[in-house]
Structure formats: C-alpha cells, structure tokens
Amino acid sequence: MLANPNNGRLHCPKPSQFLHPQRPKCFLFPNCPRSPCFTSKSKFCNLSLLLPRKSGKGFGIRALAEPGVSTNGPQGYPPPYSVKIPVGDRHILVETGHIGRQASASVTVTDGETIVYTSVCLADVPSEPSDFFPLSVHYQERFSAAGRTSGGFFKREGRAKDHEVLICRLIDRPLRPTMLNGFYHETQILSWVLSYDGLHSPDSLAVTAAGIAVALSEVPNSKTIAGVRVGLIGDKFIVNPTTKEMEDSKLDLLLAGTDSAILMIEGYCDFLPEEKLLQAVEVGQEAVRAICNEVEALVKKCGKAKMLDAIKLPPPELYNHVEEIASDELVRALQIRDKIPRRKALLSLEGEVLTILTEKGYVSKDAALGGSETIPDIFEDEDEDEEVVVDGEVDEGDVHIKPGLRKSTPLFFSEVDVKLVFKEVTSKFLRRRIVEGGRRSDGRSPDEIRPINSKCGLLPRAHGSALFTRGETQSLAVVTLGDKQMAQRIDNLVGVDEWKRFYLQYTFPPSCVGEVGRNGAPSRREIGHGMLAERALEPILPSEDDFPYTVRVESTITESNGSSSMASVCGGCLALQDAGVPIKCSIVGIAMGMVLETEEFGGDGAPLILSDITGSEDASGDMDFKVAGNEDGVTAFQMDIKVSGITLPVMREALLQAKNGRKHIIAEMLKCSPPPSRTLSQYAPLIHIMKVKPEKVNLIIGSGGKKVKSIIEETGVDAIDTQEDGIVKITARDLASIEKSKAIITNLTMVPTIGDIYRNCEIKSIAPYGVFVEIAPGREGLCHISELSSNWLAKAEDAFKVGDHIDVKLIEVNEKGQLRLSHRALLPDTDPEKASAKQPTGDAKDVVGSQETSDKGLPKKMISIRKGDLAENISSPKNNTAENTLLPQKKFIRRLVTPAKDRPNINKDKTKKSSSEVVNSVSSNGENTLVNGEANIG
C-alpha cells in the first residue's frame, strides 16, 4: 500500500517507474498537486488509480528495484564505465559503476596516484519548499590516503578541519547556480580522498568529481561543471600544477564553470595586474570547457534520467496577484535608505500579502469594484392569488425575472508559495529601480562607494586595534602578537608539521544584523570569509627574519550590510599598522555586484556592474565579486555567480571598476583619525633572537628540557624557543629578563680554550670524586679531587665547602663539551719532584697547553645581543658517570696526546683573540673577565 504518513493521502506513481510492478517499493511525495490522485475534497485517492495505465503522469515517486532484478549490469546495476580526460599536460581518469553503486551516482577521479571518490544521494521524500536549495557537501581527507593515522586519542577522523571546510565551499558554490528551482529533495554530496601522492592536489579534483557525479545522477541540473587550478610560473600558465610547481608559482587560482561560462573563481597572488588574472581565467576556462565536453559524452552513455517531474513551482498567476497587491507599497519600501527600517517595512508588507492570499483569499480589483457577474433570479409575483396550473400550463405573465449579483470566489494559496513569490517580486522591483532609475536603495549611483570612517587605538590593552566603517558595515579588528607558541598548527596529509605564524579569524555574530541567533562554533561562511581576508593580507607581511612575531588578527563584524569580508581586510590592515607590524603597503578590499539581464527593465542589455554592494543587492543581484589589493595589483579575489555565468568581457569590466574603487578606499583610509601608531605596544612581548652553533642547541635544552626550564624560571622570561639550525628566540615582557637569560645562554654556549684561567669561581656542589665549579653564569666544570690540592685529599669536604671561591684552570674539554678544571695547577709548586712524578713534564703542555697557547689560543669574539652558542654543562654530580672521574695517569696522558682531529672541541692551531671578548659581551656584576690570559671573577 502506498501511504503518506503526513496526511494520509495516497499518491499514484507512474507505472513505468517501477522496475518490478508486481511488488514495488515506493517512497512518496506529500502534497503533490500534480499527482493524478491529488484532490482538495478527499483525503484519499481512488484505488483504481494504482493500477497500471498506458498514459498519465505520476509525480515525484522513486521506486527501488527488487533484489536480483537484472538491468544493464550485474544485480540490477549499470555496467562500469571509465574515460580518460586530458587536463593540462596529463590525463585524469574518471570511473563510475565500480564503487558506491547504490548511490544515485558515484565516481572516482584519479590524477597521478591521487584518487578522489565522490557520491551523490538524494532523499526519497521532498522537504518543505524554500528559497534555498537543500544541498549539503562534505569533503574529507582520509589520513590512510597518505599511509598515516590520525594523531588524536580516538585515532580516526573527526570534525572537519578548516581547509576541508574551504574545499566544501569550493564544491558547493559552483554547483548551486546550476540546480533547477522547485526541486526540494535533500541532496547530499560526499567526497573522500582515498589516495594522495603528495604531488597532485585533491581540491580541484574534488570539484570536478562532484560536477561529474551530479551530471550522472537523477538530480535535475542545467549544466555540467568542472574545476581546475591555474598556476603562473615565470610567464607560463599551468593547468593543475603539482605541489612542487606551486612552490614557485606567483598565482593560485581555482576556477569552476561550465562549457560556456564561469561560475566560481577563487585565487590568491602577489600583486598581479588585472590583465594577468584575466589571462589566467581564460586558460582555466578553456580547460574546464574541454572537461565538460568529455563529461557530456559520458553522461549520454551512463547518466540517469533526471527527476524533472519532481519540480514544483508556484502557480504562475500568483506572481501577478502579488504584484497587484503590493506593487505600490513595495516601491515605497525599497526607497527607504536605512537597512533596518527598510527590512521592517518589507516584513510588514509581506505579512499583509500573506494574510490576503492565505487567509482572506484573493479577489481581483475588477470584481471588488462591481464588475461581478450579473445573473437572473426567477421569482413569482406574491401579490396575486395562487393559481392552480392544469396540464402543465404556465402563464408566462405571472413569472418575473429579477437581476442579482453573484460574488467572485476568492483564491487561496499556500504560505510557502506566497513567500517564495514575494521574495522574487521584491528582487525584481529592486533590479528595476537600479536599472531604470540609475539609483540604488541607498541613493548611490552604480559605481559610488559608501561613506568611509576609520579610527585606530580604541582598545588600550590590545597590541593593535582599528574600527573600520563603510556605510552600514563595520569591522572591529584586533591584532595580538606572540611567539611561536601562539602559532597555529596545521595537520595535513603530508605528515610534516606546518605552523601558521599569521592567521585571521572572522566572527559574524547575529547582533551585527539586529537579529537573535545561535552563537557557537564558527560556521562555514565565517571560516571562508576569514580565509579570504587572511590570504589578502598575507603578501604585505614582513618575513620572519625581519619580524619574528606570530600575528593573530580578529575581525568581529559589529554591523553588516554587505561586504563584511572586505571590511575585515581594510580593518585588519589598519590594525596591523597600529600594532607596529612593518607591512609593505596598505591593502583594501571591495565587493562588486551585477545585474545581468537589463533589457527586461528598460536597459540596453549590457550587464550593469555595481561597486560596494549592500546585502540586498548581493541577495537580489547576479554576482558577488570580491577583490582585494592596492593600486598596483590584486592579492586575493573571489567570485560567485548566481545565474548561468558571466563571460570574460564582463569580468574585465568588473575588475577595472573594482580597481577604481580600491583607489578611493585607500585615499579614505589615509584620513584615519586617530591614525595607527606604527610602533610596538608597551604591552606586546619582546622577542630576542640569538644564533648559536647547531651542535650547541641541545646544551640549552638539557636533559629532558631541564636546563631550558631552569633558565626560564630563573630569569622570568615567557619562553625560549630553539631551532635545529641554531636559532634561539627569547620571549619576555621586559628587557631586563631578556638580558639576564641572554647572558646565561651566551656563557653556556661560549667555546672555552684549554689554558684559560678563571678567578674567584664559586663551588656549586661537591661530589665524592671532586667539586663542580661555576666558571661563568650557567657554565660549570668538574675539578677532580686530585686537582684540588697539591697534597692528597681523602674527601673534597675536608678542604672545601659549597659556596667557597677558588681559582681554576681549564685543562681539558672532552668530546661532549664537558670541562675539566684544575685548582692545583695554579698553586705554588712546593715539591717539584713529587709534582713531576704525578705529571710527566714532557706531556704537561698537552694537558693544559703552554702559556703561549693560552695567550694566543683564545676563542674569537662571539656574536652577542642576538647571537650566541649553547652547551650542555655538568650541573650536578648525578649527571656525571664514571668517565668523569680521574683516570689513571697513563690513560689520561694517552687520551690527551691523541691527534687534533680526534679532539674537535679543542682549538689548538687557530690564532684567537683575547678571550676577554667572550665574557665582556655580557656585562653584569660578578661576571668573569680575562686579563692577560687569566679570568678574573668578581
């Protein structure tokens, strides 16, 4: 039995739609006025209509074949098809019928070893009609595609990442204009990256795969779409370049369209002129056209019949009724310049129209003015006596005809249809006002920019802030500066950690349009708008070497009436300057609109380009084209077309008009009051950069990070970041803590020379085999118990205690950079023969170096302030092993007389400057200084 759970109506399918008419499994569409069994008087359909008929049309019924019923392929599935399509300098492979055969359509598209699988499914029952096509797109990059596993706790893919959301938008935006109005079956597109080779990007493949899948499915659409990426290497445009080629590209353009027009473009570049962009778009359009032509041939072979019968449109006469009721009031409402009063007037007018057409019923004006049909009314003369009529005879003189009026029957329409038609009529009147009158809702001409006002430094504790206002659109931009710990980590298929040192986050709260709504996680629209503004500002940022900060920009839309993403570009540029970021130039953004069909409204037929569009012009217009850059070129652009598409000449006109608009906005931003400070805020962190030898980096970190943590705790800095190439970044809130940590790291990484003498050094700890002496802040060495005194000592505690100060001489630097000190070498030689027995004279110079070597063999001056070295030190007895103890003399001598190549840390042959330059670079009380080859402490 075919039943509708909503209202109990039975709906009659077209028998030919059933593959097995004896036992069909059907899914029905409710409220179907085109169905033969639809009636407003009865809730039930005549059961005889369920029987097979030779003629007649069913509406909106999808039947599923019984299992085992054979059609073209095995088990009732169509046979598989595959085709190779040339794209650029290679081919892509399109396959269908292999995977996902229960979906309405599914395809796999292969480029190199990158494979994208896309499926299209639609609901069996249509949803409630609305002005928004029920399309949802989900794109996911499986980690298994690159032989990886998710790093999360659950070891599986979870919430969509930002770049996946952006690709979802790239798929959705060109597909939506091709969907036919009146089709309300919820449609879902799923796209998965099943294999990724690291060379061929999956995003453009996903757009093409989605376009092919929709073309093969039952979803009714007007055109087949495809997408390609265009890069610019040198002066040559490349279609679908590899990731390696994109590293040298000046342009990143993703274009989607049909065989005849462009539907969507999104690109980022480094101040390319408009003509170069047009050339890139032309190259991309040619590639898209070639793909679409090949796909059309594939659709003829294996495409499914479109569900055109499921399209339900409002009654055509309803358009005339709405115009008749609301035309005068609609014209007056659209003349209101302010957004909120205009919106309230339109809502009030819509309510009146709904009341008339859904509750009271529509009656034409002619009938209301007395034009109702006149009908005769027969009655008898009551004054005369009643007579008996014999043999059926009637006296015609006794019968009188009295004229009367019959009221016209009111017409009723559904609320959904009235709302849809009212919106379309409002859009039509707005377009007519722009074309015929040459004035927009706010009174501007087509190329006029709204008034601009900007100010900086609103928030005293923020590192940088700006408020940018353009008409009724306003953005509050705030900049925060930080170190690498504030950078955003990007998880991708490649497996290489990627850190973003600049990112822009866009927020669009419901209050900015005077409404109440959900306020939670960022929507797809917010992520997309934020990325567009971020990529627009990225080319003007300084390099990390010139400005080592991580930069975060927050753009909160406090008022919105169109072009809020471009207001984020303008406000973000001002906030960066207010934060003291040395940007290369100023960047602004503008949104362009268009009315394509102007002949309908008395125009000359040429498209009308609008500058700085408002929200209503965006919703009622045919194009939303956002362009960011300066007078010299473009840094980011994004275009969405809501009609069949535009051509290159129209795009050229829009780009040139946008360039004039950018010049005007830049001039207005120069009037910012108060202007940006262009200096670092006193509340911004300070970052100090040092350069050390790469092999010394581990010494700053220490075992398990203990050393770097101790430096942070001791000096009070926020963070110390080390890199494998020897770069050390110190982040702090004040200069004093930076200087203190810099002194410790400098001494840690200095290269001591054998023979250096250090005076007044403090004993930090005592071990059974010796004492640890701090020769410089943060740098310690071991003075073995045999080197503490000329006499024999049973315990070091017998002669010294922690805190004592002694003079020591450096006698060895082992392969780990650990220092061996001697106090005995500086004591008067009371028993030369005994000393000679302990230390053979022939090898003494190899142990401690001659005085000549001590004078000449000192290290060169190291780069101070932001340059330095780092070394792991022997900070406590627990860090020492048995090899730190004093070896027998023979072994000790044999170790010291090994060739220089086995002792890379001992600089013997190079002539050095005075080692006082090493420690003199750190100026503080209690530091070591070298005088005539000796280090004086204190």
Side-chain angles (χ1 to χ4, degrees):
M1 179 177 178
L2 305 177
N4 185 346
N6 294 331
N7 53 16
R9 290 197 185 100
L10 296 179
H11 294 267
C12 308
K14 182 177 179 180
S16 61
Q17 290 178 310
F18 294 102
L19 299 176
H20 199 290
Q22 283 75 20
R23 290 188 300 168
K25 294 182 179 179
C26 304
F27 297 86
L28 308 178
F29 305 143
N31 304 326
C32 176
R34 294 190 180 188
S35 177
C37 59
F38 178 83
T39 173
S40 60
K41 296 181 181 179
S42 174
K43 293 185 178 180
F44 300 96
C45 172
N46 189 343
L47 295 180
S48 63
L49 294 177
L50 295 177
L51 300 178
R53 295 180 298 168
K54 295 183 179 179
S55 62
K57 295 183 177 180
F59 169 68
I61 300 177
R62 299 181 64 208
L64 301 180
E66 287 288 333
V69 178
S70 176
T71 57
N72 295 329
Q75 299 182 355
Y77 298 118
Y81 285 91
S82 63
V83 60
K84 285 188 176 182
I85 301 176
V87 180
D89 58 354
R90 58 184 183 272
H91 290 74
I92 62 173
L93 176 64
V94 179
E95 298 174 284
T96 182
H98 296 274
I99 306 176
R101 295 174 296 177
Q102 296 187 32
S104 180
S106 63
V107 297
T108 57
V109 180
T110 305
D111 185 8
E113 293 183 345
T114 297
I115 301 176
V116 176
Y117 165 74
T118 301
S119 63
V120 176
C121 291
L122 60 155
D124 297 297
V125 179
S127 56
E128 287 295 326
S130 67
D131 59 344
F132 194 75
F133 184 77
L135 172 66
S136 61
V137 179
H138 300 274
Y139 169 89
Q140 188 178 66
E141 295 178 351
R142 299 290 180 90
F143 283 101
S144 58
R148 297 184 57 220
T149 302
S150 175
F153 177 78
F154 296 101
K155 300 302 179 186
R156 67 179 298 169
E157 288 75 11
R159 183 177 64 90
K161 296 178 279 292
D162 283 359
H163 75 277
E164 292 175 332
V165 171
L166 296 173
I167 297 176
C168 288
R169 286 171 53 85
L170 292 176
I171 298 172
D172 183 285
R173 284 156 48 196
L175 278 175
R176 195 170 292 277
T178 65
M179 301 300 183
L180 300 183
N181 293 330
F183 186 76
Y184 301 118
H185 291 258
E186 184 177 355
T187 305
Q188 186 180 57
I189 298 176
L190 300 179
S191 186
W192 300 328
V193 179
L194 301 183
S195 177
Y196 179 60
D197 58 9
L199 287 177
H200 304 92
S201 298
D203 48 5
S204 59
L205 285 184
V207 176
T208 299
I212 297 174
V214 170
L216 295 173
S217 71
E218 303 161 280
V219 179
N221 65 325
S222 59
K223 287 279 190 178
T224 300
I225 74 154
V228 296
R229 169 176 269 106
V230 180
L232 177 61
I233 301 177
D235 293 330
K236 182 181 179 181
F237 293 102
I238 300 179
V239 177
N240 279 1
T242 63
T243 54
K244 289 185 178 179
E245 291 174 331
M246 284 301 299
E247 293 176 0
D248 301 324
S249 178
K250 304 175 185 176
L251 171 68
D252 182 7
L253 168 66
L254 202 145
L255 179 144
T258 66
D259 58 353
S260 58
I262 304 166
L263 291 175
M264 184 272 296
I265 61 174
E266 181 160 338
Y268 310 99
C269 49
D270 192 2
F271 298 101
L272 281 184
E274 284 76 4
E275 287 301 324
K276 279 289 185 182
L277 297 182
L278 292 172
Q279 294 174 16
V281 171
E282 187 175 3
V283 172
Q285 189 179 14
E286 289 294 331
V288 167
R289 182 180 296 112
I291 297 175
C292 291
N293 291 337
E294 295 288 342
V295 173
E296 289 293 340
L298 180 64
V299 171
K300 292 179 181 179
K301 293 180 180 180
C302 57
K304 294 184 178 180
K306 300 296 183 182
M307 294 177 59
L308 298 176
D309 289 343
I311 294 177
K312 179 185 176 183
L313 296 173
E317 64 272 13
L318 183 57
Y319 291 86
N320 296 328
H321 299 337
V322 171
E323 287 191 24
E324 184 178 343
I325 296 172
S327 59
D328 295 337
E329 291 294 330
L330 196 56
V331 171
R332 284 192 287 269
L334 292 177
Q335 292 176 350
I336 301 175
R337 296 196 173 191
D338 296 333
K339 174 185 174 180
I340 300 299
R342 181 172 63 250
R343 184 182 68 186
K344 292 182 177 180
L346 290 175
L347 285 175
S348 176
L349 180 57
E350 182 185 27
E352 295 176 7
V353 173
L354 282 171
T355 301
I356 295 174
L357 294 177
T358 61
E359 298 178 8
K360 297 180 180 179
Y362 171 76
V363 179
S364 64
K365 292 183 179 180
D366 295 337
L369 294 176
S372 301
E373 181 182 358
T374 302
I375 58 173
D377 190 7
I378 301 177
F379 69 97
E380 295 183 356
D381 192 352
E382 298 177 355
D383 296 338
E384 298 183 3
D385 296 336
E386 181 179 352
E387 297 182 2
V388 179
V389 180
V390 183
D391 297 331
E393 296 180 357
V394 178
D395 185 358
E396 295 181 1
D398 293 337
V399 179
H400 302 278
I401 299 176
K402 180 179 179 181
L405 298 177
R406 185 174 64 187
K407 295 183 179 180
S408 298
T409 303
L411 302 177
F412 294 90
F413 299 90
S414 68
E415 180 178 350
V416 174
D417 287 344
V418 173
K419 287 185 175 181
L420 290 175
V421 172
F422 182 81
K423 182 177 180 180
E424 292 187 29
V425 171
T426 303
S427 175
K428 177 182 176 181
F429 274 61
L430 177 62
R431 294 157 66 94
R432 176 181 296 167
R433 170 182 168 83
I434 296 173
V435 175
E436 290 183 353
R439 291 290 171 181
R440 294 143 79 172
S441 295
D442 53 6
R444 289 182 292 146
S445 61
D447 60 348
E448 188 175 351
I449 311 296
R450 289 175 289 179
I452 294 175
N453 180 34
S454 55
K455 55 180 67 176
C456 291
L458 285 79
L459 310 177
R461 298 291 295 194
H463 300 162
S465 60
L467 183 67
F468 178 84
T469 307
R470 178 165 51 196
E472 293 179 303
T473 298
Q474 189 177 76
S475 168
L476 176 62
V478 181
V479 170
T480 305
L481 303 178
D483 58 359
K484 185 178 179 179
Q485 294 181 358
M486 201 181 80
Q488 187 178 28
R489 183 177 180 270
I490 304 298
D491 196 5
N492 51 36
L493 288 178
V494 180
V496 179
D497 288 341
E498 181 181 350
W499 298 88
K500 289 176 62 176
R501 56 179 293 265
F502 170 69
Y503 50 96
L504 187 147
Q505 296 171 338
Y506 169 98
T507 305
F508 191 90
S511 61
C512 69
V513 290
E515 297 178 355
V516 176
R518 183 186 65 87
N519 189 22
S523 64
R524 290 187 172 188
R525 177 181 178 275
E526 289 176 314
I527 294 174
H529 281 32
M531 179 56 65
L532 177 63
E534 174 185 315
R535 297 291 295 269
L537 291 170
E538 197 170 12
I540 66 173
L541 293 177
S543 65
E544 187 173 3
D545 294 336
D546 297 332
F547 195 75
Y549 289 90
T550 295
V551 182
R552 178 194 182 205
V553 180
E554 297 173 85
S555 176
T556 303
I557 305 303
T558 52
E559 296 180 21
S560 178
N561 189 14
S563 305
S564 59
S565 61
M566 296 296 96
S568 299
V569 175
C570 301
C573 180
L574 290 172
L576 288 172
Q577 297 178 64
D578 190 58
V581 180
I583 62 175
K584 300 174 183 177
C585 60
S586 293
I587 289 292
V588 298
I590 186 172
M592 311 296 293
M594 179 183 65
V595 179
L596 187 61
E597 301 292 341
T598 57
E599 289 182 351
E600 180 183 356
F601 310 112
D604 57 0
L608 180 62
I609 307 297
L610 306 177
S611 296
D612 187 24
I613 58 175
T614 61
S616 59
E617 293 167 347
D618 183 6
S620 302
D622 299 323
M623 177 182 74
D624 182 13
F625 190 11
K626 303 179 179 71
V627 187
N630 60 6
E631 306 97 325
D632 301 325
V634 176
T635 59
F637 51 96
Q638 182 186 90
M639 182 180 71
D640 294 313
I641 302 299
K642 304 171 186 177
V643 290
S644 58
I646 66 170
T647 57
L648 284 174
V650 177
M651 186 177 172
R652 176 178 285 104
E653 182 181 353
L655 279 172
L656 295 178
Q657 191 165 322
K659 184 176 183 179
N660 296 330
R662 295 199 308 271
K663 292 180 180 178
H664 172 79
I665 297 171
I666 290 176
E668 292 297 316
M669 284 175 54
L670 293 176
K671 304 176 183 178
C672 177
S673 179
S677 65
R678 303 181 187 275
T679 58
L680 281 178
S681 169
Q682 60 176 329
Y683 304 110
L686 302 176
I687 296 182
H688 183 76
I689 300 178
M690 301 177 66
K691 175 67 176 178
V692 303
K693 292 183 178 181
E695 61 270 16
K696 300 288 187 179
V697 171
N698 291 332
L699 301 180
I700 292 183
I701 300 174
S703 177
K706 293 181 180 179
K707 189 61 182 177
V708 70
K709 291 178 181 178
S710 66
I711 297 174
I712 293 174
E713 184 177 355
E714 179 182 351
T715 60
V717 298
D718 293 341
I720 297 177
D721 176 52
T722 59
Q723 300 178 9
E724 293 181 355
D725 59 354
I727 296 295
V728 180
K729 295 181 181 179
I730 306 172
T731 305
R733 295 290 171 178
D734 57 90
L735 189 59
S737 57
I738 285 183
E739 292 293 336
K740 191 175 181 181
S741 61
K742 182 180 67 176
I744 295 177
I745 294 175
T746 301
N747 285 281
L748 277 174
T749 57
M750 72 175 181
V751 180
T753 304
I754 291 178
D756 288 347
I757 299 174
Y758 301 91
R759 303 289 186 183
N760 198 26
C761 297
E762 182 181 359
I763 297 177
K764 287 294 187 180
S765 60
I766 299 178
Y769 46 82
V771 297
F772 290 92
V773 182
E774 185 182 51
I775 63 173
R779 190 70 184 272
E780 296 181 7
L782 172 65
C783 186
H784 194 268
I785 189 171
S786 63
E787 298 292 338
L788 284 176
S789 175
S790 301
N791 302 320
W792 184 84
L793 291 177
K795 296 181 181 179
E797 293 91 338
D798 295 342
F800 302 98
K801 62 180 183 297
V802 175
D804 288 349
H805 290 77
I806 61 175
D807 300 338
V808 293
K809 185 176 184 178
L810 180 61
I811 60 176
E812 182 190 2
V813 180
N814 65 14
E815 62 275 5
K816 294 183 178 181
Q818 296 170 337
L819 307 181
R820 238 177 133 76
L821 306 174
S822 174
H823 176 61
R824 187 191 63 177
L826 301 179
L827 297 177
D829 192 359
T830 56
D831 191 352
E833 294 181 358
K834 187 177 181 179
S836 175
K838 291 184 178 180
Q839 289 186 341
T841 57
D843 294 330
K845 61 181 180 180
D846 296 312
V847 178
V848 298
S850 63
Q851 185 64 35
E852 180 181 1
T853 304
S854 175
D855 293 338
K856 299 181 180 180
L858 299 178
K860 296 181 180 179
K861 180 179 179 180
M862 304 187 59
I863 302 175
S864 59
I865 301 177
R866 300 199 175 191
K867 306 285 183 178
D869 283 335
L870 199 294
E872 182 178 359
N873 55 76
I874 308 172
S875 57
S876 63
K878 65 181 180 181
N879 292 333
N880 292 274
T881 59
E883 72 179 40
N884 298 121
T885 60
L886 183 63
L887 299 175
Q889 289 297 320
K890 292 184 180 180
K891 291 185 180 181
F892 180 61
I893 296 172
R894 185 162 51 245
R895 182 176 178 182
L896 290 178
V897 298
T898 54
K901 62 181 181 181
D902 296 331
R903 295 178 286 112
N905 292 323
I906 303 177
N907 298 325
K908 180 179 180 182
D909 299 327
K910 296 182 180 179
T911 303
K912 308 294 183 178
K913 296 182 180 180
S914 173
S915 61
S916 61
E917 300 181 20
V918 177
V919 287
N920 281 339
S921 62
V922 184
S923 57
S924 61
N925 294 331
E927 293 181 351
N928 304 348
T929 58
L930 290 176
V931 181
N932 295 328
E934 296 185 359
N936 294 325
I937 301 179

